[in-house]
Amino acid sequence: MRVKLTLALSDRPGVLLKALEQIALNGGNIVSIIHRRDSITSGYVPVSINVEFPDSASLERAKKGIEASGIPVIEAETLEKAICTILLIGAVKIEDLLRRVHELGSRVAEVSMTGGLTSPCIKAVIEAPSEKLSTLLASLESFAEEQGALLITEW
Amino acid sequence: MLRCIIVGYGFLGKRLAKLIASGAVRGIKLVGIASSKGYIYKEDGFLPGDLPDDLRSSSMLRLAPASELIDKRIADLLVELTPTNIRDGEPGLSHIRLALEQGMDVVTANKGPIALAYKELMGLAEEKGAMLLHEATVGGGIPLISLKNRCLVADELLSIKGILNGTTNYILSRMHFEGMSLDLALREAQMLGIAERDPTLDLEGVDTALKLVILANSLMNMSKRLSDVKIKGITGITSEAIAAAKESGMTIKLIGIADEDGLRVAPKLVRLNDPICVHGTLNAVSFNFRILGRLTIIGEGAGESTVSALINDIHEVVKTRMRSNRI
Ligand SMILES: NC(=O)c1ccc[n+]([C@@H]2O[C@H](COP(=O)([O-])OP(=O)(O)OC[C@H]3O[C@@H](n4cnc5c(N)ncnc54)[C@H](OP(=O)(O)O)[C@@H]3O)[C@@H](O)[C@H]2O)c1
């Protein structure tokens, strides 16, 4: 699984190495490292590391190891995408749907509309970061309610 | 011989009475029958020739409520088959309470009392040393409750997802295969006797929710009420929506779901190649067990097949009582 780990490194030599050791120790393969020197706060530099881990258990072990060596883990975002199909029955504007999905950090990969004005139905294929999928679906549920439409998701 | 009375002499009651009177269920005899018109009883047991088509045509008819028959204490087992009432469970709830209080065993297909008062009735049964079996309340003849409680007792059930209402499944299937509107498919189902004249409880998902409550309480050790279920029915489903789903290799099914997030009923997109995607009046239930994983079971969820669940529950009572020498 591909993960973006954001760490708060103190601006001293050798700290990054400690973190990388913990990642390697737990089977993680480093894909890229980005130092975000533009956003240094009180002596800490945020560093984003893209890592390929064999599974979520090894990610958890690496996170624990990094924190145990005194480096705070600010965020661990899985870059895995969940893809799901939804139907919206009712008069909903496609732009409004696109905007709502976008606001939640996801994207509509495919969208079509049938039924004309009498019986409109939107079908959309949505791509979301796996861990955001349930929040996204809950938010689309309230979106449908606001619009007086019926949302149908995959079971 | 175990002595049994049947309260509710309609579609199921008549079929079951015929089977018991003809000796098809070993170790049991039928000594009383009640309907809304009154009751008849015969302590040495009815034979097939004794069974009237309508209790009113029987010379033995007593114009008194079924509770009087239950109170006579001429039987060991009550089979409760009066209509399901989702408001207060009556008259079935009072019938079942009365029987259990006397230590009578109870077998029922009536969803009302089991969905509304499961904990109370099970508590009462335990206190009185009586059995209360209700396989026939959900999924017709499909063994759901005995499947978990007898074959998979040691495994933990994590979730239940299922198509639990044959009427709505028939309607959605016709919309999928024939491109019909919901209205037309409903009228067809009514003509065929699949949908009732007032199909509201089916279409609005309430019947599915009742069955989900029964399954969650009896198989997942939950204490849920009908009001705990988030319910969305199928009345808003259009043929355009089903056509759009079909284009993506899916269709729309009314699904009941019980898991750690609670109980909900809603129309869902289901892949056509998923084992749960059955058509017509069929029901399908997918269990997810901690060790076994996913198990899907399919069958007719109502009608004649329900009698199979009833006679299996009755057999279980007979077997248990024979073992404990109560008969
Ligand atoms: N049919 C199925 O496929 C099926 C499947 C699963 C579960 N169930 C459940 O099983 C139960 C029976 O179903 P069914 O189809 O056999 O129903 P049904 O054909 O409507 O028969 C109901 C019977 O109950 C009697 N009754 C009504 N009020 C009564 C009262 N106060 N005291 C005594 N008897 C009373 C009726 O009397 P009259 O004859 O005098 O009207 C009738 O004989 C229902 O709760 C139903 O939801 C049915």
Side-chain angles (χ1 to χ4, degrees), chain A residues 121-137:
Chain A
C121 175
I122 295 177
K123 178 168 72 182
V125 178
I126 294 179
E127 222 181 78
S130 300
E131 73 276 8
K132 287 193 179 148
L133 186 64
S134 56
T135 332
L136 174 76
L137 293 179

PDB file of all heavy atoms in Angstrom, chain A residues 121-137:
ATOM      1  N   CYS A 121     -31.838  11.291 -13.758  1.00  0.00           N
ATOM      2  CA  CYS A 121     -31.005  10.414 -12.940  1.00  0.00           C
ATOM      3  C   CYS A 121     -29.542  10.622 -13.331  1.00  0.00           C
ATOM      4  O   CYS A 121     -29.191  10.538 -14.503  1.00  0.00           O
ATOM      5  CB  CYS A 121     -31.421   8.963 -13.169  1.00  0.00           C
ATOM      6  SG  CYS A 121     -30.362   7.784 -12.333  1.00  0.00           S
ATOM      7  N   ILE A 122     -28.705  10.906 -12.341  1.00  0.00           N
ATOM      8  CA  ILE A 122     -27.272  11.065 -12.597  1.00  0.00           C
ATOM      9  C   ILE A 122     -26.562   9.799 -12.162  1.00  0.00           C
ATOM     10  O   ILE A 122     -26.844   9.262 -11.085  1.00  0.00           O
ATOM     11  CB  ILE A 122     -26.690  12.242 -11.785  1.00  0.00           C
ATOM     12  CG1 ILE A 122     -27.295  13.570 -12.255  1.00  0.00           C
ATOM     13  CG2 ILE A 122     -25.167  12.296 -11.910  1.00  0.00           C
ATOM     14  CD1 ILE A 122     -26.819  14.773 -11.464  1.00  0.00           C
ATOM     15  N   LYS A 123     -25.663   9.330 -13.021  1.00  0.00           N
ATOM     16  CA  LYS A 123     -24.795   8.222 -12.596  1.00  0.00           C
ATOM     17  C   LYS A 123     -23.374   8.759 -12.558  1.00  0.00           C
ATOM     18  O   LYS A 123     -22.923   9.403 -13.509  1.00  0.00           O
ATOM     19  CB  LYS A 123     -24.886   7.055 -13.577  1.00  0.00           C
ATOM     20  CG  LYS A 123     -23.947   5.909 -13.194  1.00  0.00           C
ATOM     21  CD  LYS A 123     -24.207   4.639 -13.971  1.00  0.00           C
ATOM     22  CE  LYS A 123     -23.761   4.751 -15.413  1.00  0.00           C
ATOM     23  NZ  LYS A 123     -24.049   3.538 -16.181  1.00  0.00           N
ATOM     24  N   ALA A 124     -22.671   8.520 -11.455  1.00  0.00           N
ATOM     25  CA  ALA A 124     -21.297   9.009 -11.357  1.00  0.00           C
ATOM     26  C   ALA A 124     -20.398   7.929 -10.791  1.00  0.00           C
ATOM     27  O   ALA A 124     -20.810   7.142  -9.948  1.00  0.00           O
ATOM     28  CB  ALA A 124     -21.250  10.246 -10.467  1.00  0.00           C
ATOM     29  N   VAL A 125     -19.161   7.910 -11.324  1.00  0.00           N
ATOM     30  CA  VAL A 125     -18.151   7.034 -10.747  1.00  0.00           C
ATOM     31  C   VAL A 125     -17.194   7.939  -9.987  1.00  0.00           C
ATOM     32  O   VAL A 125     -16.650   8.881 -10.558  1.00  0.00           O
ATOM     33  CB  VAL A 125     -17.393   6.247 -11.835  1.00  0.00           C
ATOM     34  CG1 VAL A 125     -16.307   5.370 -11.208  1.00  0.00           C
ATOM     35  CG2 VAL A 125     -18.375   5.397 -12.635  1.00  0.00           C
ATOM     36  N   ILE A 126     -17.059   7.680  -8.690  1.00  0.00           N
ATOM     37  CA  ILE A 126     -16.280   8.575  -7.839  1.00  0.00           C
ATOM     38  C   ILE A 126     -15.008   7.893  -7.373  1.00  0.00           C
ATOM     39  O   ILE A 126     -15.012   6.709  -7.042  1.00  0.00           O
ATOM     40  CB  ILE A 126     -17.129   9.010  -6.627  1.00  0.00           C
ATOM     41  CG1 ILE A 126     -18.282   9.852  -7.155  1.00  0.00           C
ATOM     42  CG2 ILE A 126     -16.301   9.811  -5.635  1.00  0.00           C
ATOM     43  CD1 ILE A 126     -19.209  10.324  -6.101  1.00  0.00           C
ATOM     44  N   GLU A 127     -13.912   8.677  -7.391  1.00  0.00           N
ATOM     45  CA  GLU A 127     -12.622   8.172  -6.939  1.00  0.00           C
ATOM     46  C   GLU A 127     -12.260   8.941  -5.683  1.00  0.00           C
ATOM     47  O   GLU A 127     -12.175  10.164  -5.713  1.00  0.00           O
ATOM     48  CB  GLU A 127     -11.597   8.473  -8.022  1.00  0.00           C
ATOM     49  CG  GLU A 127     -10.621   7.378  -8.303  1.00  0.00           C
ATOM     50  CD  GLU A 127      -9.660   7.834  -9.384  1.00  0.00           C
ATOM     51  OE1 GLU A 127      -8.743   8.614  -9.054  1.00  0.00           O
ATOM     52  OE2 GLU A 127      -9.859   7.425 -10.539  1.00  0.00           O
ATOM     53  N   ALA A 128     -12.069   8.222  -4.579  1.00  0.00           N
ATOM     54  CA  ALA A 128     -11.764   8.898  -3.318  1.00  0.00           C
ATOM     55  C   ALA A 128     -10.628   8.183  -2.611  1.00  0.00           C
ATOM     56  O   ALA A 128     -10.480   6.977  -2.761  1.00  0.00           O
ATOM     57  CB  ALA A 128     -13.001   8.897  -2.429  1.00  0.00           C
ATOM     58  N   PRO A 129      -9.814   8.917  -1.835  1.00  0.00           N
ATOM     59  CA  PRO A 129      -8.819   8.219  -1.009  1.00  0.00           C
ATOM     60  C   PRO A 129      -9.585   7.256  -0.091  1.00  0.00           C
ATOM     61  O   PRO A 129     -10.594   7.660   0.494  1.00  0.00           O
ATOM     62  CB  PRO A 129      -8.185   9.345  -0.188  1.00  0.00           C
ATOM     63  CG  PRO A 129      -8.512  10.600  -0.930  1.00  0.00           C
ATOM     64  CD  PRO A 129      -9.794  10.370  -1.638  1.00  0.00           C
ATOM     65  N   SER A 130      -9.102   5.998   0.010  1.00  0.00           N
ATOM     66  CA  SER A 130      -9.849   4.964   0.733  1.00  0.00           C
ATOM     67  C   SER A 130     -10.383   5.435   2.079  1.00  0.00           C
ATOM     68  O   SER A 130     -11.531   5.194   2.418  1.00  0.00           O
ATOM     69  CB  SER A 130      -8.977   3.748   0.962  1.00  0.00           C
ATOM     70  OG  SER A 130      -8.582   3.252  -0.276  1.00  0.00           O
ATOM     71  N   GLU A 131      -9.516   6.127   2.850  1.00  0.00           N
ATOM     72  CA  GLU A 131      -9.935   6.464   4.209  1.00  0.00           C
ATOM     73  C   GLU A 131     -10.974   7.580   4.235  1.00  0.00           C
ATOM     74  O   GLU A 131     -11.579   7.844   5.258  1.00  0.00           O
ATOM     75  CB  GLU A 131      -8.719   6.814   5.076  1.00  0.00           C
ATOM     76  CG  GLU A 131      -8.071   8.156   4.803  1.00  0.00           C
ATOM     77  CD  GLU A 131      -7.060   8.105   3.650  1.00  0.00           C
ATOM     78  OE1 GLU A 131      -6.981   7.068   2.964  1.00  0.00           O
ATOM     79  OE2 GLU A 131      -6.373   9.118   3.429  1.00  0.00           O
ATOM     80  N   LYS A 132     -11.197   8.228   3.074  1.00  0.00           N
ATOM     81  CA  LYS A 132     -12.175   9.327   3.062  1.00  0.00           C
ATOM     82  C   LYS A 132     -13.536   8.883   2.528  1.00  0.00           C
ATOM     83  O   LYS A 132     -14.489   9.649   2.527  1.00  0.00           O
ATOM     84  CB  LYS A 132     -11.653  10.480   2.193  1.00  0.00           C
ATOM     85  CG  LYS A 132     -10.530  11.224   2.851  1.00  0.00           C
ATOM     86  CD  LYS A 132     -10.247  12.540   2.142  1.00  0.00           C
ATOM     87  CE  LYS A 132      -9.134  13.295   2.840  1.00  0.00           C
ATOM     88  NZ  LYS A 132      -8.343  14.091   1.900  1.00  0.00           N
ATOM     89  N   LEU A 133     -13.610   7.615   2.046  1.00  0.00           N
ATOM     90  CA  LEU A 133     -14.819   7.177   1.350  1.00  0.00           C
ATOM     91  C   LEU A 133     -16.082   7.281   2.212  1.00  0.00           C
ATOM     92  O   LEU A 133     -17.102   7.800   1.764  1.00  0.00           O
ATOM     93  CB  LEU A 133     -14.648   5.744   0.830  1.00  0.00           C
ATOM     94  CG  LEU A 133     -15.792   5.260  -0.039  1.00  0.00           C
ATOM     95  CD1 LEU A 133     -15.889   6.084  -1.319  1.00  0.00           C
ATOM     96  CD2 LEU A 133     -15.633   3.786  -0.383  1.00  0.00           C
ATOM     97  N   SER A 134     -16.011   6.820   3.469  1.00  0.00           N
ATOM     98  CA  SER A 134     -17.238   6.813   4.262  1.00  0.00           C
ATOM     99  C   SER A 134     -17.691   8.237   4.589  1.00  0.00           C
ATOM    100  O   SER A 134     -18.897   8.520   4.578  1.00  0.00           O
ATOM    101  CB  SER A 134     -17.089   5.964   5.516  1.00  0.00           C
ATOM    102  OG  SER A 134     -16.003   6.419   6.247  1.00  0.00           O
ATOM    103  N   THR A 135     -16.770   9.154   4.845  1.00  0.00           N
ATOM    104  CA  THR A 135     -17.139  10.559   5.078  1.00  0.00           C
ATOM    105  C   THR A 135     -17.773  11.129   3.817  1.00  0.00           C
ATOM    106  O   THR A 135     -18.775  11.847   3.870  1.00  0.00           O
ATOM    107  CB  THR A 135     -15.892  11.432   5.371  1.00  0.00           C
ATOM    108  OG1 THR A 135     -14.916  10.612   5.957  1.00  0.00           O
ATOM    109  CG2 THR A 135     -16.226  12.615   6.202  1.00  0.00           C
ATOM    110  N   LEU A 136     -17.187  10.794   2.678  1.00  0.00           N
ATOM    111  CA  LEU A 136     -17.701  11.301   1.408  1.00  0.00           C
ATOM    112  C   LEU A 136     -19.148  10.831   1.188  1.00  0.00           C
ATOM    113  O   LEU A 136     -20.028  11.631   0.857  1.00  0.00           O
ATOM    114  CB  LEU A 136     -16.816  10.817   0.255  1.00  0.00           C
ATOM    115  CG  LEU A 136     -17.337  11.167  -1.132  1.00  0.00           C
ATOM    116  CD1 LEU A 136     -17.093  12.627  -1.447  1.00  0.00           C
ATOM    117  CD2 LEU A 136     -16.719  10.303  -2.211  1.00  0.00           C
ATOM    118  N   LEU A 137     -19.387   9.523   1.410  1.00  0.00           N
ATOM    119  CA  LEU A 137     -20.733   8.994   1.177  1.00  0.00           C
ATOM    120  C   LEU A 137     -21.741   9.614   2.142  1.00  0.00           C
ATOM    121  O   LEU A 137     -22.866   9.933   1.752  1.00  0.00           O
ATOM    122  CB  LEU A 137     -20.736   7.465   1.279  1.00  0.00           C
ATOM    123  CG  LEU A 137     -19.945   6.749   0.169  1.00  0.00           C
ATOM    124  CD1 LEU A 137     -19.986   5.244   0.365  1.00  0.00           C
ATOM    125  CD2 LEU A 137     -20.464   7.120  -1.229  1.00  0.00           C
TER     126      LEU A 137
END
